[in-house]
Amino acid sequence: MSGITKFTKSTIISALRDIRSKGWIKSHRNVHNDGAIGNTLEDLLGISENNLPLPNAAEWELKTQRKNTTALLTLFHLEPSPRGLHIADYLVSNYGWRHKDAGIKYPESEKSFRQTLSYMKPTSRGFFIDIDTYNNRIVVRFDPSRIGDECTDWKNDLIERRRIKYNDDYVPYWGFNDVFHKAGIKLGNCFYVSADVKKEGEDYFYRYSDIMQISGFTLDRFLSNIRDGNILIDFDARTGHNHGTKFRIKQSALPFLYEDVRHI
């Protein structure tokens, strides 16, 4: 199937069914993770880097993951506004903490801002996400009263530097329109394939057993899944590099984003 370069919806369904019928397939990668599961499927389809030539398939996105995993599925990357202020850098410099590899792998001054934020449930550092329906945006909130005892040194540092309260001009947010545009491109229509995994000796094998065709993404469903705690936002930035801000979802909740879910 490596010669396939273009698909219609019917041919991608046929190709996925054919792959499923093959049963266990040896991984095409030397490392094993959810990325390897997707890479192997892409190789079998004859596509590169999740680019179904049919948005990712001109119309369809391909998502893969290990079956029954508790790992979150990345939906898309989207940096918060105000964009011109480089908010991730701002959070690192003003609210970051000493990086675990500072003075070892990185300079002594290296700071980190790694947080997985959920709706209205502050982390141990007091950060969470909220939905501001008045201004039509998803907002990162900070409540210093919710900082855990394990972060007391960091809290004292913020107090000393007078950073314990947000400057309202720098509150990170994502406008509903920006989110819907980004999600519409990446998630408008999707084939979601989950795989069983086994290991024999040093080799991993995948069986692409469950295939869903999901469509009809809506912003209301997206926001509802944030409120339900199914969608979280990951910040992964340090002084020297921003690894990107990701919207991620619990695997079992992905179909809840769509009005039409069909098992292939």
Side-chain angles (χ1 to χ4, degrees):
M1 298 184 64
S2 60
I4 292 179
T5 57
K6 293 185 181 297
F7 293 101
T8 64
K9 186 168 68 173
S10 61
T11 58
I12 183 62
I13 290 173
S14 176
L16 290 171
R17 282 174 170 161
D18 181 51
I19 291 170
R20 180 173 59 191
S21 71
K22 295 180 184 299
W24 292 102
I25 297 169
K26 183 179 177 181
S27 175
H28 290 194
R29 297 297 186 270
N30 292 327
V31 296
H32 169 64
N33 50 34
D34 283 337
I37 294 172
N39 294 147
T40 298
L41 182 59
E42 290 161 1
D43 291 347
L44 295 167
L45 290 168
I47 61 177
S48 60
E49 296 301 321
N50 198 21
N51 286 319
L52 276 172
L54 224 168
N56 243 17
E59 295 178 2
W60 294 85
E61 175 85 1
L62 181 65
K63 293 285 186 185
T64 58
Q65 195 165 37
R66 175 204 298 251
K67 191 183 293 185
N68 299 322
T69 182
T70 58
L72 298 173
L73 179 69
T74 298
L75 295 173
F76 53 82
H77 292 65
L78 185 62
E79 294 304 308
S81 297
R83 302 287 175 80
L85 296 177
H86 303 289
I87 282 295
D89 293 340
Y90 171 81
L91 290 172
V92 171
S93 60
N94 288 277
Y95 294 93
W97 45 90
R98 179 180 171 82
H99 195 285
K100 63 182 178 62
D101 290 327
I104 304 172
K105 185 178 179 180
Y106 303 120
E108 187 68 33
S109 59
E110 194 79 1
K111 290 184 177 181
S112 172
F113 190 90
R114 295 190 68 182
Q115 293 277 272
T116 297
L117 308 184
S118 58
Y119 179 71
M120 303 303 289
K121 292 182 179 179
T123 67
S124 61
R125 296 185 186 272
F127 291 95
F128 60 97
I129 52 177
D130 190 10
I131 296 176
D132 178 1
T133 55
Y134 182 80
N135 292 299
N136 294 322
R137 60 188 191 177
I138 301 163
V139 182
V140 176
R141 304 289 191 195
F142 174 52
D143 182 357
S145 71
R146 303 293 293 275
I147 296 175
D149 292 341
E150 66 271 33
C151 300
T152 298
D153 289 345
W154 172 73
K155 181 178 182 178
N156 291 337
D157 177 60
L158 293 182
I159 293 172
E160 183 178 338
R161 294 189 295 115
R162 298 182 180 180
R163 299 296 184 187
I164 200 65
K165 188 178 184 302
Y166 258 164
N167 179 331
D168 289 340
D169 294 331
Y170 292 86
V171 174
Y173 71 89
W174 297 264
F176 286 176
N177 288 339
D178 291 339
V179 170
F180 186 69
H181 176 72
K182 182 71 172 185
I185 291 174
K186 297 295 291 182
L187 302 171
N189 302 295
C190 181
F191 286 105
Y192 177 58
V193 183
S194 57
D196 299 297
V197 178
K198 71 176 181 178
K199 185 179 182 183
E200 294 183 358
E202 296 301 315
D203 297 322
Y204 283 92
F205 293 80
Y206 309 133
R207 182 172 62 188
Y208 298 95
S209 51
D210 291 343
I211 305 167
M212 283 189 291
Q213 176 190 322
I214 46 184
S215 59
F217 170 86
T218 70
L219 179 63
D220 285 345
R221 286 175 176 266
F222 189 86
L223 296 177
S224 292
N225 275 274
I226 290 178
R227 293 188 181 98
D228 290 342
N230 293 326
I231 293 176
L232 303 96
I233 300 176
D234 270 359
F235 282 90
D236 185 4
R238 58 177 176 83
T239 303
H241 184 68
N242 176 17
H243 293 277
T245 306
K246 307 174 186 70
F247 281 73
R248 308 179 75 192
I249 191 169
K250 295 177 181 177
Q251 179 189 20
S252 60
L254 182 66
F256 300 158
L257 299 179
Y258 298 87
E259 294 181 337
D260 186 12
V261 178
R262 301 183 185 184
H263 291 270
I264 303 280

